[in-house]
């Protein structure tokens, strides 16, 4: 009788104790998550989970991770080479998520996003037909600014997304198109194969590649009469006082430098923020002065990057470049030839004339050729991002191999 009476009491007591232990464990885990410092991958992971059922890609059991968002236009928001406590490489614009929608552009951030071009020019997708090309009239198309994308496939290390679009360009042509985008995180061996180097054992790295495909779903061919889009990949990173963007280019010889690079997208970049030597362009990326540059397709190499001295991060981007193809001019005017555009761009954010600022951040960008496509024809564009951190000597070997200059040259550029 006593046993029959005690057993239920013991069982309930054990269950309560077990629940208390589980509660304490969860509280400890929550405290650990809450303890992630701003600037860490874990901090950004927890922040983004408040707004989206994001997807985290991981390379096997390595500490490298990538955050992808179907809700926010298939962006790679950020990545890390050292797990949740590691540095978060992408720029996330925290204030944009809880603020009102912006009619011009919703700048959520993200270290790799897909836009479509051209932004300006005769075939612009950002201005209504006949509108003056000024900021008040500039609108980013909703499918690449505010609408969610469809997930078509997902594994632990890769995700594929898709978006159908209907866009009207500056000429008044209504175009039907389909964009497919696959993002795959790479393991260390794959990264070594891609960059052609065996990394120093001290080096931590995260790398991923994006494969982007644009398909003409219109009933007509995209030509110079109708206009056509292009794909545009933009990487947004955190600036620091001594960060330098590095853009290798094909040696111009005696050719004037303005035939290699466009440096006046938003007014001429001041001489103390940009310089070039034999085949390498340096651009200050401190987020304190707004400026943009571009490299012509015939002079562009299929890579660019940056070195962040403060955080000891070497970033390399690799992408497709076709020196014989036509690239769309994206400047906000209709006077320049429509196929005089750049294949590679870099941007440093800074205050606007009224003192306000979106960032700060800086960008490295690649652009596909103009999509001269028949119905159901497709154009592909690949763009990969690699972040290396660790022993400076090991980072120096990577910079010399890929850029042709070492870290000391980069640090002494300004």
């Amino acid at each position: 009788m006593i046993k029959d009476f005690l057993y239920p009491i013991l069982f309930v007591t054990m269950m309560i104790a077990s629940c208390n232990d589980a509660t304490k464990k969860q509280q400890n885990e929550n405290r650990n998550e809450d303890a992630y410092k701003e600037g860490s991958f874990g901090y950004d992971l927890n922040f983004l989970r408040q707004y989206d059922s994001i997807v985290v890609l991981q390379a096997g059991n390595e500490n490298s991770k990538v955050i992808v968002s179907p809700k926010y236009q298939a962006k790679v928001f950020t990545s890390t080479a050292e797990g949740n406590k590691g540095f978060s490489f992408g720029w996330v614009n925290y204030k944009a998520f809880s603020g009102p929608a912006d009619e011009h552009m919703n700048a959520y951030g993200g270290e790799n996003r897909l836009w479509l071009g051209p932004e300006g020019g005769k075939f612009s997708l950002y201005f209504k037909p006949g509108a003056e090309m000024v900021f008040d009239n500039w609108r980013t198309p909703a499918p690449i600014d505010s609408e969610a994308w469809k997930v078509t496939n997902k594994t632990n290390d890769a995700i594929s997304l898709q978006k159908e679009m209907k866009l009207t360009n500056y000429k008044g042509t209504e175009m039907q198109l389909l964009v497919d985008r696959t993002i795959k995180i790479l393991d260390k061996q794959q990264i070594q194969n891609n960059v052609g180097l065996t990394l120093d054992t001290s080096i931590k790295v995260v790398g991923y590649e994006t494969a982007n495909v644009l398909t003409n779903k219109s009933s007509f061919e995209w030509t110079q009469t109708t206009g056509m889009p292009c794909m545009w990949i933009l990487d947004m990173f955190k600036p620091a006082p001594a960060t330098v963007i590095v853009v290798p280019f094909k040696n111009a010889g005696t050719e004037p430098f303005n035939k290699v690079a466009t440096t006046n997208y938003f007014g001429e970049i001041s001489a103390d923020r940009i310089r070039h030597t034999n085949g390498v362009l340096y651009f200050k990326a401190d987020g304190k002065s707004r400026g943009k540059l571009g490299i012509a397709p015939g002079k562009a190499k299929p890579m660019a990057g940056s070195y962040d001295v403060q955080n000891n991060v070497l970033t390399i981007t690799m992408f497709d470049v076709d020196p014989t193809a036509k690239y769309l001019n994206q400047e906000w005017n209709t006077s320049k030839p429509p196929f005089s555009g750049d294949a590679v761009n870099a941007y440093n954010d800074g205050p606007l004339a009224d003192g306000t600022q979106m960032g700060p951040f800086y960008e490295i960008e690649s652009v596909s050729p103009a999509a001269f496509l028949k119905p159901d024809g497709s154009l592909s564009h690949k763009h990969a991002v690699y972040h290396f951190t660790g022993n400076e000597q090991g980072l120096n070997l990577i910079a010399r191999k890929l850029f042709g200059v070492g870290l000391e040259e980069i640090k002494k550029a300004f």
Side-chain angles (χ1 to χ4, degrees):
M1 291 290 291
I2 295 175
K3 288 181 180 180
D4 291 342
F5 176 75
L6 287 177
Y7 281 148
I9 295 175
L10 287 170
F11 177 76
V12 171
T13 303
M14 290 170 64
M15 288 297 293
I16 292 171
S18 176
C19 289
N20 287 340
D21 289 343
T23 300
K24 288 178 181 177
K25 182 180 179 182
Q26 185 61 53
Q27 288 172 342
N28 289 334
E29 288 177 355
N30 290 341
R31 276 195 291 269
N32 289 336
E33 286 187 356
D34 291 341
Y36 289 129
K37 295 179 181 177
E38 186 169 350
S40 71
F41 184 82
Y43 181 95
D44 286 343
L45 181 64
N46 288 338
F47 175 85
L48 292 167
R49 278 176 171 161
Q50 299 175 58
Y51 298 94
D52 183 19
S53 53
I54 52 174
V55 175
V56 179
L57 305 179
Q58 189 165 4
N61 58 1
E62 296 180 6
N63 285 325
S64 56
K65 297 180 181 181
V66 170
I67 296 175
V68 180
S69 172
K71 178 181 176 181
Y72 292 98
Q73 303 80 55
K75 297 182 199 304
V76 173
F77 262 117
T78 191
S79 61
T80 180
E82 299 180 88
N84 287 2
K85 292 183 179 179
F87 187 74
S88 183
F89 295 114
W91 179 71
V92 179
N93 190 13
Y94 306 115
K95 61 187 178 184
F97 291 80
S98 55
D102 190 306
E103 62 177 336
H104 299 288
M105 170 194 176
N106 288 284
Y108 300 111
E111 71 165 81
N112 184 275
R113 75 178 191 272
L114 183 147
W115 265 14
L116 296 174
E119 185 176 3
K122 295 177 181 177
F123 308 129
S124 172
L125 298 173
Y126 296 71
F127 294 93
K128 290 182 178 180
E132 184 183 1
M133 291 190 178
V134 296
F135 182 78
D136 284 348
N137 297 329
W138 178 74
R139 301 285 188 279
T140 307
I144 55 173
D145 179 63
S146 57
E147 295 178 358
W149 285 42
K150 176 184 175 183
V151 176
T152 57
N153 193 42
K154 183 166 70 73
T155 63
N156 290 335
D157 64 355
I159 183 170
S160 296
L161 307 102
Q162 187 179 82
K163 185 68 176 177
E164 295 180 8
M165 308 182 195
K166 181 188 293 185
L167 303 176
T168 302
N169 67 13
Y170 196 70
K171 288 182 71 72
T173 304
E174 187 178 276
M175 294 179 290
Q176 301 271 2
L177 53 131
L178 178 69
V179 179
D180 288 280
R181 176 165 157 85
T182 296
I183 299 140
K184 178 177 173 58
I185 190 171
L186 307 172
D187 62 31
K188 191 171 185 178
Q189 187 57 55
Q190 290 171 317
I191 293 169
Q192 291 182 136
N193 293 343
N194 288 358
V195 301
L197 275 171
T198 299
L199 301 177
D200 183 277
T201 54
S202 75
I203 300 298
K204 307 295 184 184
V205 61
V206 58
Y208 58 91
E209 55 189 13
T210 72
N212 309 279
V213 179
L214 171 64
T215 302
N216 178 3
K217 303 305 289 186
S218 303
S219 60
F220 54 88
E221 184 177 356
W222 293 342
T223 67
Q224 193 163 341
T225 302
T226 63
M228 75 296 294
C230 63
M231 286 176 285
W232 184 10
I233 308 298
L234 305 96
D235 302 326
M236 304 177 87
F237 304 123
K238 303 169 184 176
T243 298
V244 178
I245 295 170
V246 184
V247 187
F249 60 88
K250 296 175 185 176
N251 196 345
T254 58
E255 198 171 14
F257 192 64
N258 63 7
K259 298 294 184 182
V260 175
T262 302
T263 57
N264 62 350
Y265 273 89
F266 303 120
E268 190 62 45
I269 300 168
S270 61
D272 62 336
R273 308 190 68 84
I274 184 173
R275 63 181 292 260
H276 63 92
T277 57
N278 190 21
V280 181
L281 186 152
Y282 303 99
F283 184 27
K284 200 169 180 65
D286 58 0
K288 294 181 179 179
S289 179
R290 189 168 181 255
K292 181 175 177 176
L293 60 85
I295 306 294
K299 298 298 181 183
K301 290 188 174 182
M303 72 175 66
S306 62
Y307 181 54
D308 177 349
V309 179
Q310 179 175 305
N311 295 297
N312 194 37
V313 178
L314 177 66
T315 295
I316 307 288
T317 64
M318 292 182 166
F319 36 76
D320 294 335
V321 174
D322 184 350
T324 65
K326 292 182 177 180
Y327 283 76
L328 288 155
N329 185 280
Q330 304 213 57
E331 296 175 64
W332 287 15
N333 67 72
T334 57
S335 60
K336 288 199 173 182
F339 302 108
S340 59
D342 297 315
V344 183
N345 294 100
Y347 172 80
N348 182 57
D349 191 43
L352 298 170
D354 63 1
T356 62
Q357 186 169 357
M358 183 186 296
F361 58 87
Y362 70 94
E363 287 181 328
I364 298 171
E365 310 168 8
S366 73
V367 186
S368 79
F372 291 96
L373 297 175
K374 290 181 168 60
D376 290 322
S378 295
L379 174 71
S380 66
H381 182 72
K382 292 182 179 179
H383 182 116
V385 179
Y386 307 97
H387 299 291
F388 304 89
T389 186
N391 180 281
E392 193 170 281
Q393 186 175 355
L395 296 179
N396 187 61
L397 291 174
I398 301 168
R400 286 206 170 277
K401 164 75 174 179
L402 299 177
F403 292 149
V405 294
L407 299 187
E408 284 306 310
E409 289 104 313
I410 297 171
K411 288 191 282 188
K412 292 177 181 177
F414 300 103

